[in-house]
Amino acid sequence: LYSKGRFLGFKRGQRAQHENTALIQLENVNSKEETTYYEGKRVAYLFRAPTAKKGSNIRCMWGRITRPHGNSGVVRAKFRHNLPPSAMGSTVRVMMYPSNI
């Protein structure tokens, strides 16, 4: 079970970019209040690699949603390994676990 999100880019200031924090726009989430449900949820970025490992070309990078970013339903996420810049604009999966209910 997952919902979709889009990797927008990295957290940044006027001059510096912080690659250790990714910005993700969640599907059908348009306010800061709606993002509270997603805090702590796991995020998966799936991509195809040129070589197969364990019989599959599909690889996965895992992260976790940490907090909201702004007032428009964008959240910050930290990944175990920073997302590559080539992933900007691509889709990520926001898993519906762990539950915080």
Side-chain angles (χ1 to χ4, degrees):
L1 264 130
Y2 65 90
S3 69
K4 287 184 179 179
R6 187 162 301 281
F7 172 46
L8 302 177
F10 300 108
K11 185 182 110 169
R12 56 171 299 135
Q14 188 175 2
R15 292 169 191 86
Q17 175 174 277
H18 304 284
E19 292 91 359
N20 58 348
T21 305
L23 300 179
I24 295 171
Q25 173 71 62
L26 301 171
E27 195 177 61
N28 302 322
V29 177
N30 299 312
S31 70
K32 184 185 276 192
E33 291 72 32
E34 294 173 26
T35 62
T36 54
Y37 169 79
Y38 292 94
E39 287 178 29
K41 298 282 190 267
R42 304 280 306 277
V43 185
Y45 167 62
L46 294 158
F47 62 99
R48 292 184 192 277
T51 56
K53 290 206 175 178
K54 297 181 183 173
S56 174
N57 283 41
I58 297 173
R59 311 256 173 92
C60 184
M61 296 174 86
W62 286 98
R64 192 177 294 272
I65 293 176
T66 55
R67 52 172 293 183
H69 180 84
N71 297 311
S72 307
V74 176
V75 294
R76 298 182 193 177
K78 292 214 174 225
F79 283 77
R80 286 183 194 157
H81 299 282
N82 297 345
L83 291 179
S86 60
M88 285 186 192
S90 60
T91 305
V92 295
R93 293 180 178 186
V94 181
M95 302 299 174
M96 293 294 114
Y97 55 82
S99 174
N100 51 14
I101 297 172

